[in-house]
Amino acid sequence: MSDSRPVVVIGGGLVGVCTAAYLQRAGHAVTLVDRQSARQAASLGNAGCINGSSVVPIAMPGVLWQVPGWLMQPDGPLVLRWGYLPRMVPWLMRFIAASQPARVAQQARALRALLGPALDAYQPLLDDANANDLVTRRGYLIAYSSQKGMEGDEGGMALRRENGVQIETLDAGALREFEPTLSNDFIGARYISETGHTSDPGALLARLTAQVVARGARLVDAAATAVETNGAHAVAVHTDKGREAASAVVVAAGAWSAPFVRQLGDSIVFDTERGYHVEIPTPHEMPSRPVMWAEGKLFATPMNGRLRGAGTVELAGLQAPPNWRRADLLLGQLHKMFPGAVQGVKSTQSVDGARWQGFRPSTPDSLPVLGAASKVPNAFYAFGHGHVGLTAAASTGRTIAGLVSGERPSIDLSPFSIGRFR
């Protein structure tokens, strides 16, 4: 580009940092804007999985009829704070529409196109940042504690198979041999070998950030407040500490992206899923790979001498205080999954400091928003990844860097367009 001004990326989580890295590889100067506290909080609390097979939308056919039962269970996988319900109505209406079978099939195809190359997209960034030690490729298990649960998950498995995911089914005996740390209460599992996981999401973010800074990116410790336009193009990003001139702007602010969308003249139906994790330090027995308990909606991931349990969905917005009962729920589920790993750990008070609560930027159709703003052609969206932010970060960064450079995208971006919310 002849313009000497940098591309300003709003958001310092993994999506923003991977976008910055790919922009640099394409020859752009980059300014990365985010508060240090937000960078430290972003992208750290996820399950650590890089699953290109995660093509199953949250809104599946029949899910609507399950929601009331979940909501009546205080320890269920989904909790809604009832005072927040009126704010959720537009999102929930779109969620119901997205669960139609034809829509689900389209959403799964779009997710596979974005997520399938996830590990390949990460590889050059890991090489540059000397971070290959942080990513392991051992696949993951989806384990079932009941035959009903296994049969009920067949719809999601069929979607994966239709999109080229190879799945191996294990009976109880094979599961015991494959993952002996798992409780004998599990009656079978499905193994997906193509996936990987990181042993430390925080270290991965830190190392990738350090590399983009080493390659010349400016890291601005400030909160972005507005995108300035001249009526036709984005020309700067305003922060609580000043103005950052820009040749282009990328909005990658996760759950805090919606205000910038409105400033750029677009509309969005968007909300936040509050997720939790709990970690058990130096457990006695560790699984060798991530294990998802299908009925419990929990991922258990080994992480550098720690076992992390991550999951649950709470609908309560950005302002409500954490409900640490959700972390207690996760610890109880870890007890059931790996009784040998959590000996002596009775409550989250025993693992003080290892509880976490964060925000998943959630669209009702489970598809992130990727592409140019409809009215400002040099402003680009890269947010709304929900449960697949870690998985999609590098492929999103590569895609957005190509758009900024004027290249034709390698995947169909129409399913991810901001225009779907008009």
Side-chain angles (χ1 to χ4, degrees):
M1 292 174 65
S2 58
D3 194 329
S4 61
R5 295 172 298 168
V7 179
V8 178
V9 178
I10 303 173
L14 274 168
V15 172
V17 168
C18 288
T19 300
Y22 268 107
L23 285 166
Q24 289 177 321
R25 295 173 70 85
H28 300 276
V30 176
T31 296
L32 193 61
V33 175
D34 210 347
R35 294 163 297 160
Q36 183 177 2
S37 58
R39 290 197 304 274
Q40 290 171 343
S43 305
L44 306 187
N46 55 65
C49 298
I50 305 174
N51 290 346
S53 62
S54 293
V55 302
V56 181
I58 302 300
M60 285 286 284
V63 72
L64 174 64
W65 309 112
Q66 299 179 55
V67 171
W70 287 340
L71 295 178
M72 296 304 291
Q73 302 175 46
D75 290 338
L78 173 64
V79 168
L80 172 66
R81 298 199 190 181
W82 292 105
Y84 195 68
L85 179 59
R87 296 263 317 261
M88 287 294 301
V89 168
W91 189 96
L92 290 169
M93 295 299 291
R94 291 262 188 167
F95 180 82
I96 293 167
S99 68
Q100 300 303 309
R103 293 276 306 276
V104 167
Q106 293 168 357
Q107 290 153 195
R109 286 194 296 272
L111 284 170
R112 183 61 170 173
L114 178 67
L115 306 182
L119 285 165
D120 290 341
Y122 265 112
Q123 195 56 59
L125 307 188
L126 298 175
D127 291 342
D128 286 350
N130 192 27
N132 282 293
D133 60 307
L134 295 175
V135 175
T136 302
R137 302 188 185 205
R138 291 191 187 134
Y140 82 105
L141 284 167
I142 303 174
Y144 302 91
S145 52
S146 69
Q147 190 63 38
K148 181 180 179 181
M150 196 166 193
E151 293 171 357
D153 202 22
E154 184 51 45
M157 292 300 130
L159 269 183
R160 291 180 175 93
R161 294 188 190 99
E162 289 165 8
N163 286 280
V165 178
Q166 300 297 311
I167 302 167
E168 180 181 354
T169 299
L170 307 176
D171 62 19
L175 178 57
R176 295 289 86 73
E177 294 184 13
F178 197 77
E179 193 53 74
T181 61
L182 192 62
S183 166
N184 291 332
D185 292 337
F186 288 87
I187 57 92
R190 291 175 171 117
Y191 173 60
I192 299 175
S193 62
E194 69 174 55
T195 63
H197 72 279
T198 177
S199 57
D200 193 327
L204 178 62
L205 175 62
R207 219 173 288 183
L208 294 176
T209 302
Q211 178 62 17
V212 299
V213 171
R215 292 186 65 164
R218 245 181 102 238
L219 196 59
V220 176
D221 181 12
T225 57
V227 179
E228 178 187 341
T229 70
N230 62 8
H233 294 87
V235 296
V237 171
H238 290 262
T239 78
D240 57 1
K241 294 184 179 178
R243 179 181 183 272
E244 300 293 333
S247 61
V249 173
V250 179
V251 178
W256 292 268
S257 296
F260 303 110
V261 174
R262 290 190 285 269
Q263 290 169 11
L264 291 165
D266 286 313
S267 58
I268 181 81
V269 179
F270 185 67
D271 218 285
T272 299
E273 296 177 33
R274 298 155 64 92
Y276 292 79
H277 86 216
V278 63
E279 288 188 340
I280 309 302
T282 59
H284 302 282
E285 299 176 9
M286 288 278 278
S288 56
R289 57 185 52 78
V291 181
M292 179 185 178
W293 179 3
E295 291 92 340
K297 310 298 182 187
L298 167 78
F299 257 106
T301 306
M303 292 189 176
N304 284 348
R306 314 184 313 274
L307 181 62
R308 175 177 293 184
T312 83
V313 171
E314 182 184 37
L315 303 175
L318 290 168
Q319 303 302 323
N323 174 10
W324 293 120
R325 180 184 173 89
R326 308 300 291 167
D328 289 323
L329 168 64
L330 294 173
L331 183 60
Q333 290 175 314
L334 285 181
H335 270 283
K336 294 175 182 178
M337 291 180 74
F338 302 101
V342 291
Q343 293 177 14
V345 181
K346 302 300 183 184
S347 73
T348 52
Q349 294 178 356
S350 303
V351 286
D352 190 37
R355 302 183 303 177
W356 177 91
Q357 183 263 315
F359 303 97
R360 302 185 189 101
S362 181
T363 62
D365 59 8
S366 299
L367 298 179
V369 182
L370 306 176
S374 62
K375 299 177 181 178
V376 184
N378 69 329
F380 301 88
Y381 300 131
F383 69 90
H385 293 81
H387 294 252
V388 297
L390 171 61
T391 296
S395 52
T396 292
R398 184 169 63 183
T399 299
I400 296 300
L403 291 177
V404 173
S405 302
E407 299 173 3
R408 184 173 181 175
S410 59
I411 65 172
D412 178 11
L413 291 181
S414 59
F416 305 100
S417 169
I418 190 69
R420 71 190 195 268
F421 297 105
R422 290 176 188 152

